[in-house]
Amino acid sequence: MSSLPDPSRSSSSPPASVRPYRPDDSSALYDICVRTAHVGGDSRHLYPDPDLLPSLFAAPYAALEPELTFVLDDGRGRAVGYVLGTADTPAFVRAFRDVWLPPLAGRYPKPAGPARTPTDEMIGLLHWPERMVLPGLSGYPAHLHIDLLPSHQGQGHGRALMHTFLRALHRRGVGAVHLSMVTANTGARAFYDRLGFHVIAVPDPGPLTYLGRSTEVPAEAARP
C-alpha cells in the first residue's frame, strides 16, 4: 500500500493508529461494516435495517472474542476501520448459535421459504452459522474480517491492521488463518495477494473465494 497523505486529517491531528477495540467503538463498528459490505462499498441501498449485516459479520466477534478485535483510530478517538475474527472457527460457530443468535431470533425470525430479498438471504445466513465450517478449511482454524473506510484506504493502514491480528493469533499458537471474500471484489483480492494470502480449494464456493495464510509475520514488517 502507498503512503499517501490522509485528506480527512489536518497536519496538526495525531496520526491514525491501530489499537484494541473498546465497547464505545460499537456504533463505529456497525457503521464501518454497513459502509463497506457491498463488494467493498456502501450497502445501505440493499439492506434497510442497518444492524443486520453488522450482526452477522462484525458485532458477534467483538462480543464473543473482543481480545481479537482491533480498530484503526483516526487519531481523535474515532474508529475508521477494524480487523476482527476468531482463533477457533468451530468453537466460534457453537458460541454464535448458543450465545449470539438467541437474543436476535425474535428480531430476525428464520425465513420460512426461499430468500426473496437480500435481507432474507442475510437472515438465512444468520440462522446458519455452521456454514463457516467447510471441508478444506480445517488446516486454517482461525478466520477474520477486515474493513476500512474509503478515507483511510491506500495508506498502509490495512496492512497494519492485518499484521496486528496475525501477531495476536501467532502469540496464541494458532498457525494459520482463512477468510472468505466476494470473488467480484478485485480490489480486496489484490490487497490480500500482496499480504501473502493464497487460494484454498473449497468445494462449491459459490460467489466466494477462500484465502488463507500462515500467521507468521516477518520480523522486518513495520509495526503499527
Side-chain angles (χ1 to χ4, degrees):
M1 289 188 174
S2 62
S3 299
L4 297 176
D6 178 357
S8 69
R9 181 169 57 84
S10 70
S11 59
S12 60
S13 300
S17 61
V18 178
R19 62 167 171 80
Y21 171 82
R22 302 188 300 240
D24 61 1
D25 295 318
S26 178
S27 60
L29 200 76
Y30 276 67
D31 181 60
I32 296 162
C33 181
V34 168
R35 290 169 61 190
T36 58
H38 179 54
V39 196
D42 201 315
S43 66
R44 285 175 287 189
H45 64 293
L46 292 174
Y47 304 97
D49 185 337
D51 290 347
L52 177 56
L53 293 183
S55 295
L56 267 163
F57 303 119
Y61 298 90
L64 298 172
E65 297 199 45
E67 68 279 3
L68 286 176
T69 303
F70 303 93
V71 302
L72 179 71
D73 188 306
D74 69 352
R76 297 174 295 232
R78 182 174 68 101
V80 291
Y82 61 71
V83 62
L84 40 77
T86 177
D88 183 335
T89 298
F92 177 80
V93 166
R94 292 191 293 271
F96 191 106
R97 178 162 294 285
D98 295 342
V99 178
W100 181 252
L101 181 57
L104 294 174
R107 179 174 177 178
Y108 303 115
K110 187 176 181 178
R116 299 188 179 187
T117 66
T119 290
D120 289 344
E121 183 178 358
M122 290 300 119
I123 293 176
L125 294 180
L126 180 71
H127 285 270
W128 183 32
E130 291 76 16
R131 64 190 156 74
M132 291 183 256
V133 180
L134 292 174
L137 296 179
S138 60
Y140 305 82
H143 76 259
L144 68 88
H145 298 276
I146 181 169
D147 289 301
L148 195 61
L149 292 180
S151 61
H152 286 74
Q153 294 176 11
Q155 301 161 51
H157 299 312
R159 181 179 294 270
L161 282 166
M162 185 69 79
H163 283 175
T164 298
F165 186 82
L166 293 173
R167 288 186 176 107
L169 288 177
H170 196 64
R171 286 193 295 270
R172 286 171 164 233
V174 180
V177 62
H178 74 270
L179 60 87
S180 62
M181 57 160 287
V182 175
T183 303
N185 191 347
T186 55
R189 177 60 190 276
F191 168 68
Y192 296 131
D193 285 348
R194 289 194 297 272
L195 285 174
F197 282 83
H198 58 264
V199 174
I200 306 171
V202 170
D204 302 317
L208 302 178
T209 296
Y210 289 84
L211 303 174
R213 61 155 286 169
S214 162
T215 61
E216 291 189 41
V217 178
E220 64 271 18
R223 289 183 177 271

